[in-house]
Amino acid sequence: MKLLIFIILFFSSFSFFAQKVINALSINEKITIDGNLNEEAWKNAKFTSDFTQIRPIPGKASPKETKVALLYSADAIYISAICYDHPDSISQVLSLRDDYNANLDVFGIFLDTYNDNQNGFYFGITSKGVQLDAKIISLDFNYQLNLVWNSAVRITEDAWIAELVIPYSAIRFPKKDVQEWGINFSRQISRFREESTWVSVNPDIENYLLESGEVVGIKNIEPPLRLALMPYVSAYVNHSKVGGFSRSINGGMDIKYGINEALTLDVTLIPDFGQVVFDQQVLNISPFEIQFNENRQFFTEGTELFNKAGLFYSRRVGVQNSGQGISLETNERLVEQPGPAQLYNASKLSGRFKNGLGIGVFNGISAARMARIINDSTNQEREEIFTPLTNYNVFVLDQNLKNNSSVTFTNTNVWRAGAFEDANVSGLNFNFNTKDNTYNFSGGSALSAIKSIYQTKLGHNLNVFAGKVRGNFIFGTTYLEESNTYNPNDLGFNTVNNRRILDISGGYRNFKPKWQKLNKIVVNASVSYNRLYNPNVYTATYFNSGLTLISKTFDAAGVQFNGSFTEFNDYFESRNGQLFISPRWRTVGGWISSNYQKRIALDAGLNYAFLDRDDWSEYDYYLTPRFRLSDRIFLIPSWSQSFQLNSQGFAFPFGTPIADTTNKAIFGKRDRINSISSISLDYNMTNRMGLTFRLRHYRSILVYESFYTLEEDGRLAAHPTYSGLDASGKSAYNVNYNAFTIDLQYRWVFLPGSEINVVWKNSIFTQDKRVDDLFWQNFTSTLNNGPTNSFSMKVIYWLDTQEFKKLRAKDKV
């Protein structure tokens, strides 16, 4: 018994003393950020080293030494890193800010100021002086957050040296005498494809905050007044074939205000999102809405807390908010679909207290949208409200718990002026881990309420996961239930409701394969059993499996085999809830991805689907070569195609077909070919100035061969008397859709937080019946339709009260 107690105490004390510590030295002298480290403070600082690889060989000491030291003053923390290497071997590649790619040598800091292993900041610097930063929540990195800090890099005869200063106004920390911060450091060496860390990080989860060391010595610092103003002015010149030229000058301001050491208020007044890149539009003939990425900076920075429960889709605010119906009389039609609603203002309040409680409040107000309606018989026009004045609100409470666990409450609310529907969704989520984070039990539930003047419609969501998430072998089971009335889409995004899904999954990961040519092996498989919620009927059972291999040369390849065990009882394709029996299918595919560190690399993939119905077949492929033309120029052309041949689905009209007299849902046998070509070009002039070019051409051809009626048993019956033609004798269902866009941006960050953006945007969207045109014929025809061009310039200036205080202090001296 005594021996057992001794062993437990021995290993407990060993674990305690094994935690790495870095000592922070307090300073009063001025530090010049130049990479020289010639101040007396750096000479007195205690440097730490001994980095361990995450990859390519987990647990092995890094072959190149890295030494790190930390200082702090009343205003900021200072970090220096000496990354030993031969100067000829150090990466000379310039990149965009926050572009963490394989061609860069990078030194990084992971800062956990609340020491909760869940919330932190990442600051990185490349060997060419390009900054990277992100907000960290557990395993998620939000690189859209651009903080204001300073850095410098210098290359010597045996190393590259990074020197960083991070003002306290850029981070959040508790107000107390002695700070207890978690910290870790990382280094990426591109030519070895190596990433190593100061505190060893296990590759099975790669949680840099969970596996971190401790900062010792930071005390008697005060969270500063955090007030920054970001005024902007922008000018636009637009031209379209129909509308001719138009000009506009805009101005507005973003405000950041630290209410206290934890909470930050962000406000945007008269926002201007005219320079945001184009959405990647597609032809949607499915019964479901398409989700697009959020590209507006205000909605991508500091929104991690609001997105934690998955109930907030920020594009609902001012962009992807649908109208609630327009009453059209006989012979009336919409002159044009109303554009996005004008966003008057938006604000978000977020932060976390020292007890681990995080709070988030978002509010936004958008203007009403009016629809123009014309009566073709009388030629009279009128207006009707398409969407009213709308207020959007999100409220979040997120409590951190031990072992990287948490409980989150989220409420979203949409209020609309007048008699339009309002909406409210409340969700409670939990995430529990065992002490070593090997096992996880997580899930949540949400209640949606759609309120009209007549009724309130309630719906619910329930999801639970339990499983092993660390180690070589992982497994888990998930249950998801959503009622047929669950609808979070007024301020969230849910592709489909009315479902019950039971999923069982497992996987094997080997980070040190015995075979010498391999660096990593990943195998995964899952089975998913699906039913409707109401009525409670069976829909399908699916399986998914995959194998990924990564070689010692960092070339990767994979194969996947997916499919359904049975036919799919589809209650959504018909658009009216009627059953459509879709065939059983199997898909086999493979992909390769060569080493990105090489000047020429390639991503490619091919998938083929076998379907148990007549001659229905599907396949797709993609080719994406990557060219590093120089250390400043990076080119990625891409080409992909997908083919659905002799497929069956709901016949979606793109015109007005001659009426069918069967009163049944019309389906069609059709061919669909999607083609996407794109060019991405980055030219980085300096570490603060660059040019980005994005061109994308999407084409979708849809050609119907014959038509069917959907019968009561879910099967299709031939409908030979239905032609699908309109009154002019042309197909109302065939379509040739094109989306051609160009985004060209010049960006110069002339001061930290201040920048000039010059942007050219070009777009052409066409929809016609020229389904037989070959590629170049179609491309020429698309360009001849005349593009819409937008030229703009925007200047943003960062005004920080801390800088004003320093200037006033200098004046007094």
Side-chain angles (χ1 to χ4, degrees):
M1 183 66 180
K2 291 181 178 179
L3 177 62
L4 178 61
I5 294 173
F6 172 79
I7 293 173
I8 293 173
L9 291 174
F10 173 80
F11 280 103
S12 297
S13 61
F14 178 81
S15 175
F16 174 80
F17 288 112
Q19 185 179 27
K20 278 192 169 183
V21 170
I22 185 170
N23 290 283
L25 179 65
S26 176
I27 61 170
N28 293 314
E29 67 177 296
K30 176 180 172 58
I31 300 292
T32 302
I33 304 301
D34 53 12
N36 289 315
L37 308 185
N38 51 15
E39 289 86 359
E40 194 67 25
W42 288 126
K43 297 175 183 178
N44 296 329
K46 296 181 180 180
F47 281 82
T48 184
S49 58
D50 299 328
F51 278 51
T52 305
Q53 294 182 38
I54 300 176
R55 59 183 68 85
I57 307 175
K60 184 178 180 181
S62 174
K64 298 296 181 181
E65 185 181 12
T66 307
K67 294 170 63 176
V68 185
L70 194 150
L71 311 173
Y72 76 97
S73 69
D75 303 313
I77 57 172
Y78 299 81
I79 301 103
S80 67
I82 305 174
C83 304
Y84 288 97
D85 208 342
H86 193 281
D88 292 340
S89 301
I90 297 170
S91 173
Q92 299 298 313
V93 175
L94 271 171
S95 64
L96 299 172
R97 176 167 178 154
D98 295 331
D99 180 15
Y100 196 105
N101 69 65
N103 298 297
L104 308 175
D105 286 357
V106 182
F107 171 75
I109 304 117
F110 303 87
L111 199 56
D112 182 4
T113 52
Y114 284 89
N115 209 15
D116 61 7
N117 303 130
Q118 299 186 55
N119 302 274
F121 300 90
Y122 170 75
F123 298 90
I125 187 76
T126 76
S127 56
K128 293 294 288 183
V130 179
Q131 293 182 345
L132 307 94
D133 51 22
K135 183 71 173 68
I136 308 173
I137 289 189
S138 296
L139 300 176
D140 296 326
F141 285 66
N142 181 2
Y143 283 99
Q144 302 295 327
L145 180 69
N146 288 326
L147 300 170
V148 177
W149 50 287
N150 205 357
S151 58
V153 166
R154 186 172 66 90
I155 296 178
T156 67
E157 61 182 10
D158 62 350
W160 66 276
I161 300 175
E163 188 174 16
L164 303 81
V165 56
I166 302 170
Y168 296 142
S169 58
I171 59 177
R172 312 289 177 267
F173 55 88
K175 187 176 183 179
K176 58 183 184 178
D177 294 337
V178 179
Q179 298 295 321
E180 298 173 345
W181 295 355
I183 198 167
N184 208 345
F185 306 104
S186 69
R187 181 179 176 186
Q188 175 177 291
I189 305 175
S190 62
R191 71 182 185 280
F192 298 151
R193 290 301 297 269
E194 176 193 318
E195 183 179 1
S196 57
T197 53
W198 177 57
V199 175
S200 181
V201 173
N202 198 318
D204 66 350
I205 193 169
E206 291 193 21
N207 190 325
Y208 298 86
L209 300 183
L210 180 66
E211 297 169 309
S212 61
E214 183 182 357
V215 181
V216 174
I218 299 181
K219 56 186 178 180
N220 299 324
I221 63 172
E222 291 289 332
L225 170 66
R226 292 180 285 112
L227 176 59
L229 309 178
M230 289 148 285
Y232 81 86
V233 61
S234 60
Y236 291 82
V237 177
N238 304 314
H239 179 267
S240 65
K241 187 175 181 179
V242 176
F245 282 96
S246 63
R247 300 173 179 83
S248 64
I249 297 178
N250 307 309
M253 181 183 295
D254 287 356
I255 302 171
K256 287 181 178 291
Y257 173 55
I259 296 175
N260 55 31
E261 71 273 12
L263 298 177
T264 302
L265 176 66
D266 292 87
V267 179
T268 181
L269 303 174
I270 319 177
D272 174 16
F273 302 122
Q275 292 189 330
V276 172
V277 297
F278 286 111
D279 294 326
Q280 296 190 358
Q281 296 287 350
V282 298
L283 178 68
N284 184 19
I285 60 170
S286 77
F288 310 117
E289 183 184 15
I290 292 177
Q291 185 172 13
F292 293 101
N293 292 330
E294 176 62 87
N295 296 312
R296 298 172 296 173
Q297 188 173 357
F298 180 83
F299 292 97
T300 57
E301 286 191 350
T303 56
E304 306 84 11
L305 195 60
F306 300 101
N307 296 324
K308 191 169 184 179
L311 296 176
F312 178 45
Y313 180 47
S314 59
R315 285 177 59 96
R316 297 293 184 206
V317 184
V319 180
Q320 212 169 329
N321 51 348
S322 58
Q324 296 196 14
I326 293 177
S327 301
L328 294 178
E329 305 293 338
T330 305
N331 298 322
E332 283 190 337
R333 60 179 174 83
L334 276 175
V335 175
E336 60 182 351
Q337 187 75 13
Q342 169 66 41
L343 183 62
Y344 285 145
N345 61 68
S347 58
K348 53 181 185 274
L349 175 70
S350 61
R352 191 172 297 274
F353 297 99
K354 59 184 178 182
N355 63 358
L357 177 63
I359 295 179
V361 180
F362 168 85
N363 200 81
I365 302 174
S366 65
R369 287 189 294 171
M370 304 301 294
R372 289 175 55 210
I373 301 170
I374 189 170
N375 189 306
D376 290 327
S377 61
T378 63
N379 209 31
Q380 290 184 335
E381 287 193 15
R382 66 180 180 89
E383 288 189 335
E384 185 172 319
I385 296 176
F386 187 65
T387 56
L389 176 73
T390 306
N391 187 86
Y392 303 90
N393 184 267
V394 184
F395 175 69
V396 182
L397 292 174
D398 179 59
Q399 178 64 58
N400 289 341
L401 303 173
K402 290 184 178 180
N403 306 325
N404 204 27
S405 303
S406 63
V407 175
T408 307
F409 171 78
T410 305
N411 177 267
T412 69
N413 186 275
V414 179
W415 172 88
R416 297 181 173 94
F420 288 82
E421 289 182 341
D422 300 328
N424 187 282
V425 180
S426 294
L428 183 65
N429 295 74
F430 62 89
N431 181 44
F432 299 141
N433 294 291
T434 55
K435 188 173 183 180
D436 59 358
N437 278 239
T438 298
Y439 296 93
N440 176 264
F441 178 55
S442 57
S445 183
L447 177 69
S448 68
I450 308 298
K451 297 175 284 187
S452 69
I453 59 175
Y454 304 106
Q455 63 176 346
T456 297
K457 185 180 292 186
L458 300 177
H460 76 272
N461 160 288
L462 172 67
N463 63 93
V464 179
F465 168 82
K468 182 175 182 285
V469 294
R470 294 196 69 174
N472 293 105
F473 289 96
I474 57 174
F475 55 84
T477 183
T478 303
Y479 176 72
L480 169 68
E481 176 181 296
E482 290 180 344
S483 67
N484 57 308
T485 54
Y486 177 66
N487 182 8
N489 285 345
D490 286 83
L491 197 46
F493 189 96
N494 191 46
T495 303
V496 58
N497 58 10
N498 195 14
R499 52 182 175 168
R500 286 189 171 106
I501 301 174
L502 178 63
D503 183 271
I504 300 174
S505 61
Y508 170 74
R509 304 171 297 176
N510 191 333
F511 302 99
K512 295 181 180 180
K514 293 183 179 180
W515 191 24
Q516 293 182 352
K517 293 187 177 181
L518 286 181
N519 184 57
K520 185 178 179 180
I521 300 173
V522 178
V523 181
N524 58 74
S526 66
V527 176
S528 175
Y529 177 80
N530 296 255
R531 301 183 68 87
L532 287 188
Y533 175 83
N534 185 23
N536 183 15
V537 295
Y538 172 80
T539 54
T541 303
Y542 302 108
F543 65 89
N544 296 275
S545 61
L547 169 66
T548 299
L549 304 174
I550 302 177
S551 72
K552 294 288 186 181
T553 58
F554 295 96
D555 298 310
V559 293
Q560 58 266 347
F561 180 52
N562 310 316
S564 61
F565 289 108
T566 63
E567 292 182 313
F568 172 33
N569 296 323
D570 188 344
Y571 290 85
F572 298 98
E573 180 67 17
S574 64
R575 275 48 169 198
N576 61 10
Q578 186 180 349
L579 170 65
F580 166 59
I581 300 177
S582 185
R584 190 167 71 98
W585 58 274
R586 283 86 58 211
T587 298
V588 61
W591 57 271
I592 60 170
S593 180
S594 66
N595 188 348
Y596 283 3
Q597 207 274 328
K598 301 291 182 64
R599 285 193 173 271
I600 300 177
L602 175 67
D603 291 333
L606 173 67
N607 298 284
Y608 191 89
F610 302 87
L611 294 102
D612 296 344
R613 182 166 297 174
D614 302 331
D615 50 356
W616 185 342
S617 65
E618 298 183 6
Y619 64 95
D620 63 79
Y621 70 91
Y622 66 89
L623 292 169
T624 307
R626 304 166 66 93
F627 302 98
R628 181 155 50 89
L629 302 179
S630 73
D631 290 338
R632 298 172 182 268
I633 304 175
F634 194 38
L635 173 67
I636 306 178
S638 180
W639 171 258
S640 64
Q641 282 191 301
S642 63
F643 298 82
Q644 296 176 333
L645 306 178
N646 302 304
S647 65
Q648 297 174 353
F650 178 78
F652 187 88
F654 294 91
T656 305
I658 298 174
D660 175 62
T661 57
T662 62
N663 292 322
K664 296 181 179 181
I666 302 296
F667 276 57
K669 182 178 183 180
R670 64 205 183 192
D671 291 343
R672 182 177 184 180
I673 302 175
N674 294 333
S675 304
I676 306 175
S677 54
S678 65
I679 297 174
S680 172
L681 177 67
D682 294 335
Y683 173 41
N684 299 294
M685 304 168 192
T686 71
N687 61 357
R688 290 179 178 268
M689 184 186 301
L691 196 68
T692 61
F693 175 82
R694 304 288 184 267
L695 180 149
R696 177 179 181 267
H697 177 214
Y698 167 89
R699 185 192 187 191
S700 184
I701 305 171
L702 191 62
V703 179
Y704 282 79
E705 179 183 329
S706 58
F707 294 91
Y708 307 89
T709 55
L710 180 61
E711 302 302 306
E712 291 184 0
D713 62 357
R715 304 291 178 178
L716 298 179
H719 193 5
T721 61
Y722 185 69
S723 65
L725 302 179
D726 59 20
S728 65
K730 296 181 180 180
S731 172
Y733 296 92
N734 292 354
V735 68
N736 173 44
Y737 176 80
N738 286 269
F740 178 85
T741 58
I742 293 176
D743 290 279
L744 176 64
Q745 180 189 36
Y746 164 82
R747 184 187 185 201
W748 175 31
V749 182
F750 58 92
L751 287 173
S754 302
E755 60 187 67
I756 296 175
N757 292 279
V758 181
V759 173
W760 169 48
K761 299 178 65 174
N762 177 292
S763 63
I764 306 173
F765 302 98
T766 66
Q767 184 174 299
D768 54 44
K769 302 295 183 182
R770 302 179 60 160
V771 295
D772 296 321
D773 283 2
L774 299 178
F775 176 83
W776 285 110
Q777 288 177 301
N778 172 75
F779 187 68
T780 302
S781 173
T782 300
L783 294 181
N784 288 338
N785 273 275
T788 296
N789 282 287
S790 174
F791 297 90
S792 61
M793 180 176 179
K794 188 175 185 179
V795 180
I796 305 171
Y797 197 85
W798 175 278
L799 299 171
D800 193 340
T801 54
Q802 293 301 308
E803 295 300 320
F804 286 128
K805 287 175 66 176
K806 291 179 182 179
L807 291 174
R808 290 181 63 185
K810 287 182 180 180
D811 291 340
K812 290 180 179 180
V813 174

